[in-house]
Amino acid sequence: MDEPLNQDSAVDELVFKSVGIIADNQTLSGAYPASPNFEPYKYCWFRDGSFIADAMSRAGQVKSAEQFFDWCADIILARKSQIENGQPLDARYTYDGQAADGDWQTFQLDGYGLWLWALAGHARRTERPIDKYRPAIDLSILYLEKHWQEPCFDWWEETKGVYPATLACIFAGLAAFNHPKAEQVRQAIDIKSARTDASLLICPVLGAVSQEGFAPTLADIEQRIVDPEGGVHRYADDEYYGGGQWILLAGLLGWQYMLAGRREEARQKLDWIVRRAQPNGWLAEQLPNHLLKPVSYQSWLDRLGPPANPLLWSQAMFITLASVLKT
């Protein structure tokens, strides 16, 4: 059983540490490494980075968030001809904005919606002008208009298809700038026939699916991929590092609980994360507890070493949940 917490001081301390961990690892270019210590993640993803920038904006770190938005805009503007010609873009880049080398599934659309969503949220929150981003905004919208119906890789970069989580991110980006196609994208989201996957939680969080309509899916997630300890797994047959508990998904579930009016359960997820932080504040990608496929854990250790630690997206989701609970 978890030990009692001095709740407010423990949360505030981890928020402070998480902000510092993100700030210390942000590169001079504005890119946020997915994980600074895990070789496969030493790149910046539009998806991870957008959630991180949103969290930093919520924490009052205006310069950090805008440096990331500058990084995004530079990448998009440098690929103007590709976008206009209908060519696909990558999901991740080197810190200086170059295409990443290696064998990795790079066609994902979610991040290009999410950076628009994060930018608009930052502008609303801080009342900062974003006129300088207009050319990159327009190109991003054009890109999403051209490709939103195409199959791409899921959040986990494992399978290719048209996924609710991806469409929700695209919807959020278009809706943030009042684009008329946003509603068409929202109407295309089908959660009823989707695999039980924690990424589905982003659909109601971003307003792409109603809380009422999501209730059966949330109950299914709670039953099938939330373990007795309160940890959240990606999906039921996950074999990556044995299918452990993902800290960022605990934060995402807490965020959804808050929006669904389940404040106490949201607070429990926040406390769950606090208890699993390392003394220096690091939050790993996942923890090897209640493994879904324990037999596969060692093979991933042998191949890549321990799971990513810290994962800046994990730090960001904690900051975001702490912020949401203060509203």
Side-chain angles (χ1 to χ4, degrees):
M1 181 177 294
D2 288 328
E3 295 297 323
L5 280 177
N6 184 341
Q7 290 184 326
D8 291 336
S9 63
V11 169
D12 290 346
E13 180 181 359
L14 187 54
V15 167
F16 177 80
K17 288 181 177 179
S18 294
V19 168
I21 290 163
I22 292 171
D24 289 347
N25 285 288
Q26 187 173 21
T27 68
L28 292 176
S29 67
Y32 295 117
S35 179
N37 302 323
F38 189 62
E39 196 64 35
Y41 291 3
K42 289 183 178 179
Y43 299 93
C44 184
W45 273 257
F46 267 63
R47 176 190 54 253
D48 299 39
S50 296
F51 283 117
I52 296 165
D54 179 68
M56 292 297 270
S57 172
R58 292 171 186 269
Q61 302 297 307
V62 171
K63 182 178 179 181
S64 174
E66 292 183 358
Q67 285 178 327
F68 173 74
F69 299 141
D70 291 344
W71 181 84
C72 293
D74 288 345
I75 287 174
I76 290 163
L77 293 174
R79 288 157 179 79
K80 182 175 185 289
S81 62
Q82 288 178 241
I83 293 172
E84 291 177 340
N85 291 331
Q87 297 174 350
L89 303 180
D90 292 340
R92 63 168 189 155
Y93 295 89
T94 62
Y95 304 151
D96 60 357
Q98 302 303 308
D101 295 327
D103 182 18
W104 200 285
Q105 312 298 348
T106 59
F107 180 48
Q108 293 176 287
L109 295 166
D110 50 9
Y112 292 93
L114 284 170
W115 101 272
L116 294 175
W117 163 80
L119 175 63
H122 175 75
R124 182 177 61 254
R125 188 178 299 119
T126 64
E127 299 184 348
R128 298 269 294 176
I130 57 173
D131 295 344
K132 70 173 184 175
Y133 297 112
R134 178 49 63 179
I137 292 168
D138 291 343
L139 278 172
S140 298
I141 290 173
L142 176 63
Y143 181 67
L144 294 174
E145 285 179 317
K146 287 177 177 287
H147 297 283
W148 74 270
Q149 298 180 83
E150 296 178 17
C152 69
F153 284 91
D154 62 2
W155 261 26
W156 316 124
E157 298 168 335
E158 294 176 339
T159 58
K160 198 171 187 179
V162 178
Y163 297 101
T166 300
L167 292 176
C169 296
I170 295 170
F171 160 80
L174 295 176
F177 290 93
N178 301 310
H179 193 279
K181 196 174 285 291
E183 180 58 22
Q184 185 180 351
V185 176
R186 190 183 70 81
Q187 291 290 342
I189 297 173
D190 177 14
I191 59 172
K192 292 182 180 179
S193 60
R195 167 183 78 174
T196 303
D197 189 305
S199 67
L200 292 171
L201 291 164
I202 201 62
C203 296
V205 165
L206 294 180
V209 173
S210 71
Q211 292 292 333
E212 181 181 3
F214 192 70
T217 301
L218 178 57
D220 190 47
I221 287 172
E222 291 173 316
Q223 180 180 356
R224 299 187 63 194
I225 54 176
V226 178
D227 62 50
E229 190 181 89
V232 183
H233 304 267
R234 296 194 301 174
Y235 49 88
D237 57 348
D238 188 10
E239 296 186 357
Y240 183 54
Y241 282 103
Q245 301 169 324
W246 281 59
I247 290 176
L248 73 92
L249 293 177
L252 183 57
L253 179 57
W255 192 358
Q256 164 57 16
Y257 280 155
M258 188 64 182
L259 294 175
R262 297 165 62 176
R263 175 180 282 271
E264 181 56 35
E265 290 163 285
R267 178 69 205 215
Q268 289 171 6
K269 290 300 169 211
L270 192 76
D271 294 344
W272 186 93
I273 297 173
V274 169
R275 292 187 179 97
R276 283 145 187 87
Q278 296 158 66
N280 61 1
W282 284 10
L283 295 171
E285 178 182 67
Q286 59 174 300
L287 303 172
N289 303 327
H290 292 273
L291 293 176
L292 301 175
K293 303 285 184 179
V295 68
S296 69
Y297 182 70
Q298 188 61 49
S299 64
W300 283 102
L301 280 180
D302 295 342
R303 178 179 171 186
L304 297 176
N309 185 27
L311 188 79
L312 299 197
W313 191 1
S314 295
Q315 311 287 163
M317 292 306 296
F318 176 76
I319 295 169
T320 296
L321 180 54
S323 172
V324 168
L325 272 159
K326 288 185 176 180
T327 60

